[in-house]
Amino acid sequence: MNRWQVHIEAEPEYSVYDFDIYRYFIGPDVQIGNIYPVMYAKGFYEGMTEAGQKDIINLIRCAWAGSQRYGALVWSGDIDSSFRSLRIQLRAGLNMGLAGIPWWTTDIGGFHGGNPNDPSFREVIIRWFQYATFCPVMRMHGAREPHTPPLGVSGGGLMESGAPNEVWSYGEEAFEIFKKYILIRERLRPYITELMMAAHGKGTPPMRPLFYDFPQDREAWNIEDEFMFGPDLLVAPVLYEGARARRVYLPKGSSWKEVSTGIKHQGGMWIASDAPIEDIPLFLRDGAYLPI
């Protein structure tokens, strides 16, 4: 039986970040601090294994090289709800995969802030949702605003609660877009299963920078805002407010079919791709078929 256990923190939560004065049993923080999240994941993994649990996957917010050995599914923590934060998450996820940790995810729409009734934030979460469809793990979470007051004077009633954060909480337009991408994700399930099997067997990151698949293409090494989701699909998220088009680089050595238009392009070139609010640019490689 599979077991999922959520760990809110996998690192010490400091109130003052003077790392040079912190000490652990095995040494000072500045020398060995990054071992903490590895040992944290290992401790839970070994305990759960001894209790008879199998296929262990734990959702944690901090990791280091080797954490993947202990079923670490890493999310990027309590991040800001903004386009700037979305751009950072894209780079973080690609680096996480290259570091050997394939199970990675973000809070769709960020965690801190974001009012479901704010049109600007609705655009952020739509674009984030589209991006997240092509991440190893796709999940909603967040502390939306405005918070509701506590419901009582004791126990759990003392806690305030965030605003609604379901897929239907952002208006009809957003809901239809969310539904579209949820169905894309569902249709891609067999493909994603293959990607995760490759990650398990060979360490191949499911999402990776263009240079991973196209190391001979010099331009591919300069691209930080696109990625390959497996070997067959290039994803070019929309990362800026108000953008309804973007430039996309298509790596050389392959041909590319734009999903939204069906137009085929030769690699090794930049193109201008339309990106209305309901779509992000997606490209299939070398005649590949995916049920997008």
Side-chain angles (χ1 to χ4, degrees):
M1 179 180 294
N2 291 340
R3 293 284 189 256
W4 291 76
Q5 183 157 338
V6 177
H7 303 288
I8 299 304
E9 298 173 5
E11 81 284 356
E13 184 136 311
Y14 303 103
S15 57
V16 179
Y17 289 86
D18 290 334
F19 295 116
D20 57 332
I21 68 172
Y22 289 103
R23 297 291 186 274
Y24 297 108
F25 177 77
I26 60 173
D29 184 87
V30 291
Q31 292 182 5
I32 54 83
N34 286 325
I35 202 174
Y36 187 100
V38 181
M39 295 297 102
Y40 185 98
K42 182 181 180 182
F44 276 95
Y45 180 87
E46 290 179 343
M48 296 165 76
T49 299
E50 290 174 5
Q53 297 185 20
K54 299 180 179 180
D55 298 326
I56 297 165
I57 300 175
N58 287 320
L59 182 65
I60 61 177
R61 79 175 189 189
C62 189
W64 193 247
S67 293
Q68 71 275 9
R69 301 173 187 169
Y70 308 113
L73 192 173
V74 187
W75 97 97
S76 55
D78 298 344
I79 51 179
D80 185 51
S81 298
S82 65
F83 273 105
R84 176 181 178 275
S85 182
L86 173 56
R87 294 191 290 272
I88 292 171
Q89 304 319 303
L90 171 56
R91 295 192 294 271
L94 297 179
N95 281 281
M96 188 72 74
L98 291 175
I101 301 176
W103 289 90
W104 184 81
T105 182
T106 67
D107 294 343
I108 294 177
F111 181 82
H112 290 297
N115 186 329
N117 296 314
D118 181 354
S120 294
F121 180 64
R122 287 186 177 184
E123 183 179 3
V124 171
I125 199 167
I126 286 171
R127 293 307 196 186
W128 205 311
F129 202 95
Q130 293 166 334
Y131 155 73
T133 302
F134 307 101
C135 289
V137 176
M138 180 185 186
R139 49 178 280 282
M140 293 280 281
H141 181 55
R144 299 289 165 247
E145 298 175 349
H147 284 197
T148 57
L151 300 176
V153 295
S154 63
L158 287 169
M159 299 297 295
E160 62 180 17
S161 178
N165 192 43
E166 289 74 30
V167 293
W168 52 82
S169 303
Y170 294 86
E172 188 63 26
E173 180 184 46
F175 175 69
E176 290 300 321
I177 296 170
F178 293 160
K179 184 169 67 173
K180 171 183 175 178
Y181 280 85
I182 289 172
L183 292 175
I184 289 174
R185 179 78 179 197
E186 183 64 22
R187 292 194 297 270
L188 287 176
R189 183 187 290 235
Y191 179 70
I192 296 171
T193 299
E194 291 180 3
L195 300 186
M196 299 314 294
M197 289 297 293
H200 173 73
K202 299 185 291 184
T204 306
M207 59 184 299
R208 59 264 197 155
L210 299 188
F211 65 75
Y212 187 95
D213 292 272
F214 303 94
Q216 305 305 319
D217 185 343
R218 288 196 173 191
E219 187 65 17
W221 291 80
N222 298 321
I223 307 302
E224 297 183 343
D225 60 356
E226 306 171 25
F227 62 94
M228 294 296 296
F229 188 54
D232 296 331
L233 183 62
L234 186 150
V235 183
V238 176
L239 303 172
Y240 291 88
E241 183 176 6
R244 297 296 181 266
R246 60 157 292 171
R247 295 178 74 228
V248 178
Y249 180 72
L250 303 174
K252 65 175 61 175
S254 289
S255 62
W256 301 92
K257 178 181 177 181
E258 191 167 14
V259 170
S260 63
T261 65
I263 297 174
K264 295 182 179 179
H265 306 271
Q266 288 302 310
M269 61 184 295
W270 287 89
I271 68 166
S273 184
D274 289 335
I277 190 62
E278 65 271 16
D279 287 314
I280 60 171
L282 302 169
F283 297 83
L284 292 168
R285 178 185 180 187
D286 290 336
Y289 171 77
L290 292 175
I292 299 176

